[in-house]
Amino acid sequence: MTDTVAGLRIGVSELRRRPGERRRIRREVPLGGTAISTAAVPAGADADVDVVLESLSDGVTVNGLVRVPWVGPCRRCLEETTGVAEAEIHEVFSDHPVGGDLLPFDGDAVDLGPVVHDAVVLALPLAPLCREDCAGPDPDHFPVVAGTEDAPPADPRWSALAELRFDQDDTDPLE
């Protein structure tokens, strides 16, 4: 089971008495610390959850958007960069959930915590970029040095690669 997000357990008993009725829910909930390997929601940051709940004869649909700030290293220059991740939510809570497509009710409430958490994790960038034209590390601060005497010795397991040649010749390699 996924972590739950506090403040997203929403009572729906009144809503369910009238199929077709809608109710908009907008909340800011703490989500700091949610992270993947390349980006994270900063500590103390809140997620903006804006959803519409609609009553069905045998359940409730939840549709909306979650916005959350993130920080992470740029994939090219490795400087810290920030942004806002947005994730759409489309879920159905049902009295009789079948398979993994429908979610169960939590008593007379829907718990959007796991839904919001999962949506945010999937929306965080896998390869953040500070700007589209980022050229990578500054060569004055990070010079590229190749073929120097200070280079570490080659791993002997890779020695066979040193014998590879890509020269064009007329000999048939299968002869």
Side-chain angles (χ1 to χ4, degrees):
M1 190 69 175
T2 327
D3 296 336
T4 189
V5 178
L8 288 177
R9 188 173 186 280
I10 301 165
V12 293
S13 58
E14 191 65 35
L15 179 70
R16 294 196 63 203
R17 291 189 180 129
R18 293 179 221 94
E21 187 168 327
R22 291 178 170 203
R23 181 168 62 172
R24 183 176 182 188
I25 304 291
R26 184 161 188 185
R27 297 200 176 147
E28 288 190 10
V29 294
L31 212 77
T34 301
I36 59 174
S37 62
T38 56
V41 178
D46 288 342
D48 179 28
V49 180
D50 188 5
V51 295
V52 174
L53 280 65
E54 183 175 355
S55 177
L56 305 172
S57 60
D58 64 343
V60 172
T61 63
V62 178
N63 295 295
L65 191 65
V66 177
R67 289 179 195 87
V68 66
W70 59 265
V71 296
C74 173
R75 70 177 181 243
R76 293 183 185 153
C77 67
L78 300 179
E79 294 293 323
E80 186 173 286
T81 186
T82 62
V84 175
E86 291 188 354
E88 290 186 11
I89 293 176
H90 303 286
E91 295 294 340
V92 178
F93 289 82
S94 176
D95 290 324
H96 310 289
V98 178
D101 294 337
L102 305 175
L103 299 171
F105 285 102
D106 185 10
D108 286 335
V110 294
D111 186 2
L112 297 179
V115 172
V116 167
H117 178 268
D118 291 352
V120 167
V121 166
L122 292 173
L124 290 174
L126 293 175
L129 191 59
C130 63
R131 59 185 197 281
E132 287 299 318
D133 63 342
C134 178
D138 180 5
D140 293 335
H141 290 96
F142 302 100
V144 177
V145 182
T148 66
E149 296 172 9
D150 296 337
D155 187 324
R157 294 174 290 181
W158 295 95
S159 62
L161 294 177
E163 298 172 19
L164 272 174
R165 300 287 177 251
F166 295 103
D167 300 334
Q168 298 269 342
D169 61 5
D170 294 333
T171 61
D172 186 358
L174 298 177
E175 290 180 358

